[in-house]
Amino acid sequence: MLVVDDEEQVADVLALKVGERYETEVAYGGEGALEAMGEHVDAVLLDRRMPDIHGDDVLVEIRDRGYDCVVVMTTAVDPDLNILEMDFDDYLCKPIDSDTLLTTLDQQLDARPESDPRLEEFFSVVSKIEVLEEELSPGELSNSEEYASLKSEAEELGRELDDSHQDFGELVDTFRSINRGTS
């Protein structure tokens, strides 16, 4: 687990919250995050707004380097439609309580079975939808073709996964119980 935040105190608190359950490494900024990245990293808690390298750019670089780890954006930045293009797995707004953080990580890491990558895709899509629906007005969302396409993708994936995974409903209930802290 790699915890990334330019505010050392915030990074250290997040690392403490997850450190009892996960082996944790801390990076104090985007540059440090990219230096620390490797195949050993199974999840990244990534701050969006950092002065050296913006978290959005760190995310792109992580994916461009071919790392397929879980990335949870941990941020105080209000989401906008621009998150539709971002390749993260979940989005949590600060401050983040321990239960939410651990439930999110457990959910994301458990949803990554090698046998069905559609679960990972489904939860990433649903996370984006839920964050946007919490932050933006229905009018703003109704004008977005990307948002409508994402909703359709989630519905189709949900139907497929419900047919093929016995515990899919339980996974979705747990996922939806997470307070992403956007309001």
Side-chain angles (χ1 to χ4, degrees), residues 91-93 95-97 100-101 103-104 130 134 174-183:
Y91 194 103
L92 300 174
C93 290
I96 307 164
D97 66 76
T100 297
L101 187 58
T103 301
T104 300
E130 287 185 359
E134 188 71 31
T174 301
F175 182 81
R176 295 208 170 168
S177 72
I178 296 170
N179 176 6
R180 290 181 168 72
T182 57
S183 56

Side-chain angles (χ1 to χ4, degrees), residues 5-16:
D5 202 298
D6 63 301
E7 294 181 48
E8 290 184 22
Q9 186 176 12
V10 172
D12 291 342
V13 167
L14 289 172
L16 280 172

Side-chain angles (χ1 to χ4, degrees), residues 136-177:
L136 302 178
S137 72
E140 290 172 295
L141 294 174
S142 68
N143 292 328
S144 171
E145 289 180 29
E146 291 172 310
Y147 171 76
S149 175
L150 204 64
K151 285 281 283 192
S152 294
E153 179 183 348
E155 290 168 5
E156 182 178 329
L157 268 171
R159 284 189 297 275
E160 290 174 15
L161 291 166
D162 191 38
D163 290 342
S164 62
H165 289 273
Q166 190 172 8
D167 61 346
F168 181 68
E170 184 179 323
L171 290 171
V172 171
D173 289 345
T174 301
F175 182 81
R176 295 208 170 168
S177 72

Side-chain angles (χ1 to χ4, degrees), residues 121-138:
E121 181 182 356
F122 175 79
F123 287 123
S124 176
V125 167
V126 171
S127 172
K128 290 174 184 177
I129 290 169
E130 287 185 359
V131 167
L132 289 172
E133 287 176 347
E134 188 71 31
E135 283 298 311
L136 302 178
S137 72

Side-chain angles (χ1 to χ4, degrees), residues 8 47 52 56 64 83 89 107 109 112 117 122 148 150 173:
E8 290 184 22
D47 184 30
D52 63 337
D56 296 2
D64 284 350
I83 70 169
D89 296 287
Q107 174 90 35
L109 290 167
R112 296 178 75 82
F122 175 79
L150 204 64
D173 289 345

